[in-house]
Amino acid sequence: MIVSLKVIEETCIRCLRCVKVCPSSIFYKDEAENLIKTRNKQYCIKCGHCVAVCPTDSVDHGDFPESKVHHIDRGLLPTPEQMMLLIKSRRSNRAFIKEPVPEEKLDMIIEAAHRAPTASNMQKVNFTLITDPGRLHAVSAATIDIFDSLAKKLNKPLIKPIVKKLMPEVYGYLPRFEKLVGEFRNGNDIILRNATTLLFIHSPKESRFGAEDCNLAYQNASLMAESLGVSQFYTGFVCNAIKQDKEKRIQKLIGPDEKIYAGMAMGLTSFQYPNYIDKMDAKIKKL
């Protein structure tokens, strides 16, 4: 469907911003008439760059009425130093308490995730929020069962020497798998660490850039959680288990048509880290 899109001649100041930012090259300057015009509107991906960049509100886009356009007060934005401090202070804090995360904070975290960019502005990133203790336990239990089965396969006499030689990194995880299973069997959930909330970020199976889009969304969510004082960590073990699970036990929570690419365990904590530490020096190649 071709979008409703035009430039209001009376207020347009010919600054060419829309021409420069449109990813589909829909805007162009008609030199003969000294006007900004549109073409090939069927290629519009509805990213809204043209509306957001226009200083005189001269782009009339059917998908972005006045109610969807908001002025940015850049004086309210964090300084680069404040942003860097937030990034440096973000840690995977697993020391959760039993009190649930307030709903308004969860809403802000999901909104931040939803605001992340997506390939071709397809916006096919979806979310499943789990707060039910029984379902949370089921996710941990399924993850443990998957790793238990994997550990048993890796320990088989015929397979063990082959894996150890050809895939030493996989074999190196064997003691970790066994520890996870043992701790869980003893009542210590070191998968979700007693998180009160689990956020799965997923995309339709046919989405070509689903993994990239979902992990961009996770990054937004992670930083918003940090700013709200919500402790969280990336559920790497769960996501890895999902890939290994032929029975699709965790996948069933969101349905067969979606694929989980990222997850975030969340909860409130009784303390925050008072310090940040430096990482190893970044390896940078300049060409």
Side-chain angles (χ1 to χ4, degrees):
M1 181 177 179
I2 299 178
V3 300
S4 171
L5 176 60
K6 66 179 180 179
V7 177
I8 303 172
E9 297 179 10
E10 292 77 12
T11 55
C12 176
I13 60 174
R14 286 70 162 167
C15 65
L16 301 180
R17 293 184 184 183
C18 57
V19 176
K20 294 176 180 178
V21 302
C22 179
S24 301
S25 301
I26 292 171
F27 297 86
Y28 71 100
K29 183 178 181 182
D30 185 323
E31 296 291 349
E33 298 185 41
N34 190 31
L35 294 174
I36 304 299
K37 295 184 177 181
T38 61
R39 60 191 170 194
N40 300 323
K41 289 186 283 188
Q42 69 271 25
Y43 297 129
C44 177
I45 64 172
K46 304 177 183 180
C47 64
H49 283 348
C50 55
V51 178
V53 81
C54 184
T56 60
D57 299 324
S58 298
V59 177
D60 186 350
H61 196 303
D63 285 270
F64 301 101
E66 185 178 350
S67 61
K68 288 191 174 183
V69 183
H70 310 280
H71 174 69
I72 300 172
D73 184 351
R74 295 198 171 271
L76 297 177
L77 297 180
T79 65
E81 292 77 15
Q82 290 170 331
M83 193 67 220
M84 183 59 77
L85 182 58
L86 175 65
I87 292 170
K88 288 179 177 179
S89 64
R90 182 244 173 262
R91 300 197 68 81
S92 298
N93 188 345
R94 298 172 173 85
F96 300 121
I97 61 175
K98 294 182 179 180
E99 183 180 346
V101 179
E103 187 174 347
E104 61 270 19
K105 291 190 176 185
L106 293 176
D107 289 343
M108 290 184 70
I109 290 168
I110 294 176
E111 172 68 10
H114 180 61
R115 289 280 179 174
T118 57
S120 299
N121 194 43
M122 294 298 289
Q123 299 187 44
K124 290 187 176 181
V125 175
N126 301 309
F127 308 93
T128 295
L129 193 65
I130 302 174
T131 57
D132 176 70
R135 291 183 184 273
L136 292 170
H137 179 79
V139 170
S140 291
T143 301
I144 288 297
D145 286 345
I146 293 163
F147 285 141
D148 189 27
S149 297
L150 182 59
K152 289 176 180 177
K153 288 180 181 178
L154 293 176
N155 271 319
K156 287 185 176 181
L158 295 178
I159 296 178
K160 187 174 182 177
I162 299 174
V163 174
K164 189 174 183 180
K165 182 177 181 179
L166 298 180
M167 295 184 289
E169 290 185 3
V170 174
Y171 184 79
Y173 261 97
L174 184 56
R176 188 70 183 275
F177 293 158
E178 293 173 338
K179 178 177 174 59
L180 289 172
V181 174
E183 290 283 348
F184 192 81
R185 300 289 188 247
N186 289 324
N188 182 19
D189 180 5
I190 55 177
I191 297 298
L192 294 182
R193 303 281 184 167
N194 300 311
T196 58
T197 303
L198 173 60
L199 177 65
F200 277 135
I201 307 175
H202 44 89
S203 186
K205 285 185 175 181
E206 68 272 13
S207 178
R208 184 176 180 183
F209 297 99
E212 293 81 359
D213 290 346
C214 288
N215 280 285
L216 283 171
Y218 164 80
Q219 193 61 30
N220 268 22
S222 175
L223 291 176
M224 177 56 76
E226 187 70 33
S227 73
L228 291 168
V230 175
S231 297
Q232 46 75 42
F233 64 89
Y234 190 91
T235 57
F237 281 124
V238 177
C239 291
N240 186 270
I242 291 171
K243 296 177 184 177
Q244 312 288 337
D245 186 19
K246 294 181 180 179
E247 296 180 26
K248 308 295 182 184
R249 283 166 285 187
I250 300 174
Q251 182 68 43
K252 290 176 182 177
L253 292 172
I254 65 165
D257 298 326
E258 297 269 318
K259 191 170 183 180
I260 299 171
Y261 288 106
M264 186 164 74
M266 292 181 280
L268 298 181
T269 180
S270 57
F271 63 85
Q272 290 182 313
Y273 287 80
N275 308 303
Y276 73 81
I277 59 173
D278 291 329
K279 286 180 171 271
M280 295 184 289
D281 291 342
K283 297 179 180 179
I284 304 171
K285 181 183 291 187
K286 297 183 179 180
L287 302 176

